């Protein structure tokens, strides 16, 4: 009967495929404040969290509460972060997108008001406030696509720090394995043709080959659903020159 392929073992949700919780600081999100309230916090420390490239700013507010918020470029210990509709358009301040002018670069944007930020949250990423209309506020995302959000949603002015960390070479396989492990990803990924026949549908044989077509049906059973799934066409794209 054989073993389940890797994609099926991952889907089962075992501990080896989950991101570890060891070394986590706290939820990296905005504290929940009412929209009409104005608060000021001071950055008391910049901390690293396992599996996260962007540094976290440890912010203490005037009421004594402490939150950890992804830090933007230029944040340092002693910096001030302001929350509120009337906060200045300055790096690190958190404002509802309805009060942010068009063309402003923002990050850590709330998808739903009060969720603490979930869009453009990776190191070095940012989005742009594109326009305001009756349906909401349109933002241009890091992918280049556009989305319309509720005007109440909050965003932080600036670009998230830590950009370029993912561009450094790993230099050896051990570093890459530890990096992937901290994020709950599997490494190394073994090719199907390099596996045994009982482990993978592409495995086995006297030399490494699939033994058949690499395109499978959308409705194929999970054990056979490997390769190019429901591909319309495969192979290298050839653009014909017009005469």
């Amino acid at each position: 009967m054989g073993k389940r392929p890797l994609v099926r073992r991952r889907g089962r949700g075992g501990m080896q495929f989950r991101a570890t919780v060891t070394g986590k600081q706290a939820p990296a999100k905005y504290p929940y404040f009412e929209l009409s309230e104005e608060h000021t916090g001071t950055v008391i420390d910049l901390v690293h969290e396992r599996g996260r490239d962007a540094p976290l700013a440890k912010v203490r507010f005037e009421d004594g509460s402490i939150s950890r918020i992804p830090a933007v470029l230029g944040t340092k210990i002693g910096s001030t972060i302001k929350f509120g509709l009337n906060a200045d358009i300055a790096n690190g301040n958190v404002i509802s997108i309805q009060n942010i002018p068009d063309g402003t670069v923002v990050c850590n944007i709330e998808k739903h008001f009060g969720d603490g930020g979930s869009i453009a949250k990776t190191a070095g990423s940012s989005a742009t406030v594109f326009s305001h209309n009756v349906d909401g506020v349109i933002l241009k995302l890091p992918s280049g696509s556009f989305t319309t959000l509720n005007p109440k949603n909050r965003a932080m002015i600036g670009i998230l720090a830590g950009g370029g960390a993912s561009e450094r070479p790993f230099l050896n396989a051990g570093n890459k394995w530890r990096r992937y492990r901290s994020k709950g990803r599997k490494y190394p990924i073994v090719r199907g043709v390099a596996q045994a026949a009982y482990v993978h549908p592409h495995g086995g044989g006297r030399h490494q080959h699939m033994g058949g077509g690499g395109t499978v049906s959308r409705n194929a059973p999970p054990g056979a659903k490997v390769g190019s799934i429901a591909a319309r066409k495969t192979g290298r794209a050839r653009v014909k020159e017009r005469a």
Side-chain angles (χ1 to χ4, degrees):
M1 187 173 176
K3 294 177 65 177
R4 295 175 179 174
L6 177 64
V7 289
R8 293 189 69 193
R9 295 202 298 278
R10 289 194 63 180
R12 184 166 181 254
M15 292 302 296
Q16 63 173 324
F17 299 109
R18 296 183 188 178
T20 181
V21 296
T22 306
K24 297 296 182 181
Q25 300 280 331
K29 61 182 184 180
Y30 306 136
Y32 183 80
F33 294 136
E34 293 294 336
L35 198 62
S36 59
E37 297 178 1
E38 294 189 3
H39 295 270
T40 302
T42 304
V43 178
I44 59 176
D45 197 7
L46 294 171
V47 296
H48 169 71
E49 186 176 77
R50 184 180 183 187
R52 186 189 299 275
D53 288 336
L56 295 180
K58 191 174 180 181
V59 183
R60 179 189 287 131
F61 292 93
E62 65 271 14
D63 59 357
S65 62
I66 293 178
S67 297
R68 287 168 176 80
I69 304 171
V72 299
L73 286 174
T75 303
K76 57 185 179 181
I77 296 175
S79 298
T80 300
I81 295 178
K82 294 183 179 180
F83 283 70
L85 294 174
N86 298 319
D88 300 330
I89 306 298
N91 275 3
N93 287 353
V94 180
I95 313 169
S96 291
I97 54 178
Q98 61 188 351
N99 285 22
I100 299 178
D102 295 348
T104 306
V105 176
V106 295
C107 61
N108 198 24
I109 309 151
E110 290 183 329
K111 192 173 184 179
H112 306 285
F113 177 73
D115 66 9
S118 58
I119 301 175
K121 202 172 181 179
T122 58
S125 66
S126 63
T128 305
V129 178
F130 191 76
S131 65
H132 297 68
N133 57 34
V134 293
D135 297 327
V137 180
I138 300 176
L139 283 88
K140 185 176 182 181
L141 303 181
S143 62
S145 62
F146 294 85
T147 186
T148 303
L149 298 177
N150 190 322
K152 295 181 180 179
N153 295 358
R154 298 173 293 179
M156 179 178 283
I157 309 296
I159 302 172
L160 270 186
S166 61
E167 299 174 5
R168 294 193 304 246
F170 288 104
L171 300 181
N172 60 57
N175 289 342
K176 191 168 186 178
W177 179 82
R178 292 179 182 89
R179 162 80 171 194
Y180 276 51
R181 183 167 177 256
S182 70
K183 292 180 175 293
R185 295 169 62 185
K186 191 68 176 175
Y187 179 84
I189 298 175
V190 182
R191 293 170 296 124
V193 294
Q195 300 178 30
Y198 76 98
V199 178
H200 198 278
H202 295 169
R206 291 294 183 179
H207 57 275
Q208 294 184 4
H209 69 294
M210 288 190 293
T215 305
V216 295
S217 167
R218 175 75 68 194
N219 302 317
K225 206 168 186 179
V226 293
S228 300
I229 300 171
R232 289 186 174 89
K233 52 186 175 180
T234 61
R236 183 171 61 90
R238 293 178 173 86
V239 180
K240 295 182 179 180
E241 294 182 1
R242 293 183 179 181

